[in-house]
Amino acid sequence: MSRTSRLVAAAAAGAAALLALTACTSGASSDGGAAEVGPVTEGKLTVATGEPAYAPWVLNDDPESGEGFEAAVVYAVAEEMGYAEGDVVWVRSSFDSAIAPGPKDWDLNVQQFSVSEERAKAVDFSSPYYETTQAVVAAGGTPAADAKSIADLKDTVIGVASGTTSLKVAEEVIAPNQQIQVFNNVDDTVAALQNGTIDAMVTDLPGAFYVRDAQLDDGVIVGQLDSAEGGDEFAFVLPKGSSLTSKVSKALDTLRENGKLDELAAKWIADQGAPVLK
């Protein structure tokens, strides 16, 4: 079983209780509870994402292209639910407004939302479509940036942010010969990477893309680390009580079981410079 298969299988189990919780509070109730929320436009699937939307989740800020992991997952889910490609309508929303209570002008929202019980009080979550991993980021032109395997990182100085799972994963998977440097937060770890105090840093994969693309001039994602340590589960956000929640989850469960989610993760995430290091 592949790394992604193990992750999504664990994610499905982890989200089951959460979906049960939302199910018991969603939809019409016999004692006069809130009515079930239907689609924004009948026959269409209105999907929101961030503005801008970033790679590798959406390429070139163009979700309609279906390029990028989340954009591709949306079209795969839509097809599984019986929607034609032309029936998918994209809109934009902020991250914070998406998870706030209240009515929505979209059916689904996708922009790396982590599943949490606190957020589930205001919105519905689908089954997860991805669980984050830890990744290694290095400055370009350094020996760490040229690493192709775990063995190539053994003699590098690794930095991590305090209070994250990154330390345990770095110790478990890389087990470097040099002592791992622990910093107060991610920004301090990035600063240490910029000034050469450390050779590479370990952080969650979404954060690794941000460090590479927004914080370093010549950053390189060396690769992902295959670890038993779980990460955040990413799922679609839907309006509270949406009639589509169970249907979207069923579609994702099918795509997980038939290997399509694995295929899309391998294509869009690994191809954006995040291979799994062996």
Side-chain angles (χ1 to χ4, degrees):
M1 182 181 291
S2 69
R3 163 66 177 165
T4 309
S5 296
R6 296 198 306 272
L7 290 177
V8 293
L18 179 58
L19 287 172
L21 172 65
T22 59
C24 70
T25 58
S26 299
S29 65
S30 58
D31 59 358
E36 192 173 56
V37 177
V40 171
T41 303
E42 195 63 38
K44 302 290 184 181
L45 189 64
T46 304
V47 185
T49 192
E51 188 172 24
Y54 295 100
W57 317 107
V58 175
L59 297 196
N60 303 313
D61 193 25
D62 181 15
E64 290 87 352
S65 69
E67 296 190 333
F69 179 61
E70 289 183 334
V73 169
V74 165
Y75 282 107
V77 167
E79 181 179 5
E80 192 66 35
M81 293 174 65
Y83 291 96
E85 184 176 327
D87 293 332
V88 178
V89 178
W90 289 93
V91 297
R92 303 298 183 120
S93 85
S94 70
F95 187 99
D96 290 341
S97 68
I99 55 176
K104 312 297 183 186
D105 61 357
W106 38 262
D107 301 319
L108 316 176
N109 204 312
V110 57
Q111 42 185 315
Q112 305 102 66
F113 293 106
S114 299
V115 176
S116 76
E117 292 187 9
E118 183 64 30
R119 290 174 176 177
K121 296 175 183 177
V123 295
D124 281 359
F125 282 106
S126 70
S127 293
Y129 57 84
Y130 186 70
E131 185 173 338
T132 61
T133 59
Q134 297 290 310
V136 179
V137 185
T142 63
D146 295 330
K148 304 299 182 186
S149 67
I150 297 297
D152 293 339
L153 293 169
K154 289 292 186 180
D155 291 325
T156 60
V157 179
I158 304 292
V160 299
S162 176
T164 66
T165 59
S166 302
L167 175 59
K168 187 172 182 179
V169 173
E171 290 175 334
E172 169 195 309
V173 180
I174 302 175
N177 298 323
Q178 308 287 332
Q179 183 175 353
I180 295 174
Q181 303 297 304
V182 180
F183 298 90
N184 290 331
N185 50 51
V186 172
D187 286 341
D188 287 352
T189 313
V190 173
L193 186 59
Q194 290 171 324
N195 64 32
T197 300
I198 57 176
D199 301 316
M201 65 179 288
V202 176
T203 189
D204 63 89
L205 184 60
F209 282 113
Y210 181 77
V211 170
R212 182 192 68 180
D213 298 336
Q215 295 183 286
L216 297 177
D217 293 331
D218 57 351
V220 174
I221 295 179
V222 181
Q224 302 176 68
L225 299 175
D226 190 359
S227 170
E229 290 295 310
D232 288 340
E233 296 169 349
F234 289 169
F236 287 105
V237 163
L238 298 92
K240 192 67 177 173
S242 172
S243 63
L244 295 177
T245 300
S246 62
K247 298 174 184 178
V248 173
S249 291
K250 182 179 179 181
L252 283 168
D253 292 343
T254 298
L255 295 171
R256 183 180 307 111
E257 291 165 6
N258 67 21
K260 185 65 175 181
L261 290 178
D262 283 357
E263 176 187 325
L264 294 177
K267 177 178 181 179
W268 294 111
I269 294 178
D271 280 1
Q272 289 296 308
V276 176
L277 294 171
K278 302 294 185 181

